[in-house]
Structures are given as structure tokens and as C-alpha cells.
Amino acid sequence: MEFLMDPSIWVGLLTLIVLEIVLGIDNLVFIAILADKLPPKQRDKARIIGLSLALVMRLGLLSLISWMVKLTTPLFSIAQFTFSGRDLILLVGGLFLLFKATSELHERLEGHNGLGSNNRGYSGFWAVVAQIVVLDAVFSLDAVITAVGMVNNLAVMMTAVVIAMGVMLLASKTLTRFVNAHPTVVVLCLSFLLMIGLSLIAEGFGFHIPKGYLYAAIGFSVLIELFNQIARRNFIKHQSDRPLRERTAEAIFRMMGGKRDSDVQQEDAHDTAEPKQEAFAEEERFMISGVLTLASRTLRSIMTPRNDISWVDCERSPDEIRRQLLDTPHSLFPICRQSLDDVIGVVRAKDLLVALENGEDIVAFAEKTPPIVVPETMDVIKLLAVLRRAKGRLVVVSNEFGVIQGLVTPLDVLEAIAGEFPDEDETPDVVVDGDGWMAKGGTDLHSLEQLLNTYELVSPNADYATLAGLLLSESGQMPFEGEVIEMPPLRFEVIEVSEYRIERVRITKISSNEMRDEEE
């Protein structure tokens, strides 16, 4: 019993048990596929018979091959190498393991290892058992040759095979799920087969490789794989802590071809790949992106700001009001007393014109449709319900001090999703300008991100929503005309500034060569 005190025996036994289990998974999967052809009541019986036959087959082959490797009498020589029956068996076994491991690795790395059966007809019980016997003979070869290459003690080999098959027999479903959920473990074990196959070939040519070297390499690889599994588990745990909406949005962005922060590292690899047909057209990607980012937007980012609101002062004469209505293309107007902060109501332009023709009192007419006021902190998604209650009228946005900040219409929400719909007296916020874009200072950052196909402009913690706000925050002061602000991969040049407002900005993309020079 002294051999039981040898640590190498226990290391070899444990390592061989793991390898035998992994090598038996393919056998187990094929047995499950064949058993699936039987009626449900006979499947478990066929699975047990199949694994039991596999155990008998492996023990028989193990005894035979272990006996054959003791044939050390030289048979022939080639150059300085002399070959015996043992050497030939080791060479053939090593080549078989190399072929087996290489083909399996190729299938798994190429993603062609899916197995399945579409045959729903039931087969005869003994016909299926016969097929299982043939499969057992084929799939037992790699396990037996691996055992011979790993340890030199027949008792250890048989013990490992019996334990591995017993574990597979008791936990076949659990093992299958584990292997399917951890494909890197299978790839690691197949790499072990490559190493064992090379050691068998070296043994066949007379070069002895101590088993301790193999155990050390396998142990180190298992330790690295353990670290990888812990890192993967922590990554999945971290991902599960993120909001489901955010994870779903990123998944759809990747499906649409959009780039997120995690995709930038793979950009070079994608550039060298063959171009693929886009799953979504540009307009579709733009709108889907608008929908997915709608919940993260503030009212300030979609509303018409205070300075751009067209409102009617009820203190003015009817002729002045009529002239203002006819000269402005808007269909809805806030009616106010001298100041925008004193809103009486919101009326339609055509209804107000009729009221003026009939000589009605404007204040009394406006009071019939009082304004709907919402705080600027309201979520855009919740705003949709308010807009439904407004029945097509605009909603006024106010801050905590009662100062009007802007107004929102259903068209503003639609523009946040599908892009701008300029009025007759408006020009687009962003226009193409040579190799770049010319943008207004009040351009919404979410819309600018969608247009430029970048996702680095909007910060969830920022208190600004426009391009001007971004540049002011980045510069730390009011930029002057001609000032250039670089925020890779974009360059912003301030073209026009008036009355402490950034009016126009030219945007260009920084080339990869320029970015590389700056890093150097």
C-alpha cells in the first residue's frame, strides 16, 4: 500500500478523473441523442445501459492496451530510432489524440459543435442499444489512450475510469449543463489532450517526459481557468446590477451596429473584416436609438427653450395680435399678461383669430383653456401621459420658482425620436458643411449623438443638454470666436458668438492619424 502515499499517484488520479469526465461528455451527449429516439419511459433505461456498456468497454480496452504497452522488444529501426510494439502503440495513440483534440478544438472555436436531432419517430429499444455499443467503442479510444499517457499504474487508470463513469451515471444531466455553460473548460481539457498526445509521441521516439511536468502544466492551467471563471462570474454579477433597460438598450445598439464604449476596443478588428449587410437602415437605427434614449433624457433636452417661445401679450391691441398671428407659422400660442411667466391660457391661432373678429375679450377667451404646467424635473416618459391629457395642446415647463423655462408639444417628442421637423421660419440645427457639420449652439446633445453616431457627448450627471452647454463646461469659460475645443474623436470650432451665447459651431472628426500623433 506504499504507492498510496505517493502524491503523484493522487494528482494523477484526480487529473485523470476530470479528463475522463470531460472526454465522456461527447459519449454522454450522443447516448442522450440516441435515447431520445425511444419512448420517454425507455430513455433512462437506455442511458443507464449505454453508460454501463461504456464502462465495460473502457475497462476492457484499458487492460488490453496496458498489456500491449509492455511489449518492449525491438521490432525495427529507422535511423537512430528503434521501435517496439509499445512504441508503435504510443505513436498511434498520440497521433489519434492530436487528431481528436485538433478536430474538436476546430469545431468548438468555429462554432460548429451544435448537436441535435429532428427525428421525432421512435426506434426499437435494442436497435438503439446496438448503436450505443458501437459509439461506446469509438468514444472509449481517446479516454483509454489518455489514461495510458497520464499514469503508469493500471489500478489507478481503472479507478479513475470507474469513478468518472460513476459520476457521469449519477449526474449526467448536471454535467451536460455544466459543460454547455462553461465552454472554456472543454477547450482547456482538449488542450490537455494535445499536450498528452505530444508526450505519447515523444515517448514513442524514446524521449521520456516526466509526468510531474505534465501535472504541473495542467495544474497551472487549471488555476488560470479558475481565475477566469471567477472574473466571468463577477462580470456577470456586475452586469446584473445594472438596470435592465440599460442592458437591453446596449444589446439593441450592438445589434443595430452602433458603438458603445465596450465596442471601441474591437473597432480595428471590425475594420479588417468583410463588410456585412446592415440589419437596419440608417433611418431605422436613428429612430430606434431615439426611442431607447428617450427615458434618459430631460425635459430641457426636448423642450422649446424660453427665448424661442412665441407668445401673445393680451395687453396689446387686437390689430397687433392679429398681425402677430398671421406672421408666425405656429398653430398654438400661450396668452400672457405682459410677461411670459404670467400665462393665462393656451389657444389655437385660428380660434383666437375668430374670437378677435367677433370682438370677444381675449382674457376671458384664454381662461377657457388654462395651461398645463409641469416641473422641469419630470421624466420624459411620464410626460407622454400629460401630453395625452392635453389633447394636442402644448405643455408649459416651469422651474421650482415658477419661472417658465420652455414648452413641450407632441412634435418635440417625435423630433426626439425621429429627428428635426423644422418650421417655415426655422433652419435645421445641424447641416452638412464640407467634411464636417455646422451646428447651432442650442443643438440637443442626444440628437447630435445620433446624427454623428457617437455616444460620448451626453453625461448622465451633467446639468446641460445642449452643444453650447457642453462647450461651456469643457472650456470653463465663454469661448471666443475661432476657439477650437477637442473632445476625441470630435473637434469643435466656435464660429459665431453673440451676446454671451454660442450661436454656431463647426464640428469635424479627428482622424486616427491625428489621434495617434497626439498620444505620442
Side-chain angles (χ1 to χ4, degrees), residues 78-99:
I78 299 178
Q80 71 270 27
F81 299 107
T82 301
F83 297 95
S84 63
R86 171 185 177 278
D87 297 330
L88 294 179
I89 293 174
L90 293 178
L91 286 173
V92 173
L95 291 174
F96 174 77
L97 284 187
L98 288 181
F99 171 77

Side-chain angles (χ1 to χ4, degrees), residues 51-72:
L51 291 175
S52 301
L53 290 174
L55 173 61
V56 174
M57 193 79 65
R58 292 188 182 192
L59 292 176
L61 287 173
L62 196 56
S63 302
L64 179 62
I65 294 180
S66 298
W67 171 76
M68 294 179 67
V69 295
K70 296 179 181 179
L71 303 178
T72 57

